[in-house]
Amino acid sequence: MHYRLARIVDSVTADNFKEKSDEILRFLSMPHGHISGVYSLINQANYMIGKGRNKLTDEELREALRWEIDTSLQQLETYGPIKRANLKRVAK
């Protein structure tokens, strides 16, 4: 993970989640389809925090974000659009 992205994730709390999640998405600047897991986690956490149902501690929230970002970027690198384009060309 990029050090600036890691610093943003490390500063996330339930109180500043909305602002920091917007910052994370701006930093990643990828279409929804490429990092849909990150968008899903952010939307779910925003809903839970907004409704007062958040059961996660700040550290658990940060760890979930770290894991989802790392996993999404790794899958994008392995199976991303460029890789799929190469597979489609071979399949023809």
Side-chain angles (χ1 to χ4, degrees):
M1 184 183 303
H2 193 273
Y3 74 93
R4 287 191 316 180
L5 183 58
R7 288 183 66 191
I8 295 168
V9 171
D10 289 342
S11 66
V12 169
T13 64
D15 295 332
N16 69 3
F17 186 79
K18 179 74 173 147
E19 296 83 25
K20 294 298 180 177
S21 61
D22 289 342
E23 211 174 314
I24 289 168
L25 293 176
R26 266 191 314 251
F27 183 84
L28 292 174
S29 68
M30 294 181 192
H32 182 277
H34 291 188
I35 52 172
S36 59
V38 175
Y39 277 96
S40 177
L41 175 68
I42 288 172
N43 288 336
Q44 182 183 16
N46 274 331
Y47 175 79
M48 297 302 275
I49 291 169
K51 297 292 183 181
R53 299 178 184 172
N54 185 32
K55 302 279 193 263
L56 298 175
T57 65
D58 290 342
E59 185 55 40
E60 290 171 332
L61 197 56
R62 287 189 288 268
E63 188 59 36
L65 272 171
R66 264 188 227 106
W67 184 85
E68 192 59 55
I69 291 169
D70 283 341
T71 303
S72 293
L73 292 177
Q74 183 181 25
Q75 286 184 357
L76 186 62
E77 183 179 321
T78 306
Y79 306 108
I82 294 173
K83 298 290 184 181
R84 281 188 258 151
N86 290 338
L87 289 175
K88 287 179 186 175
R89 248 185 269 135
V90 171
K92 288 183 178 179

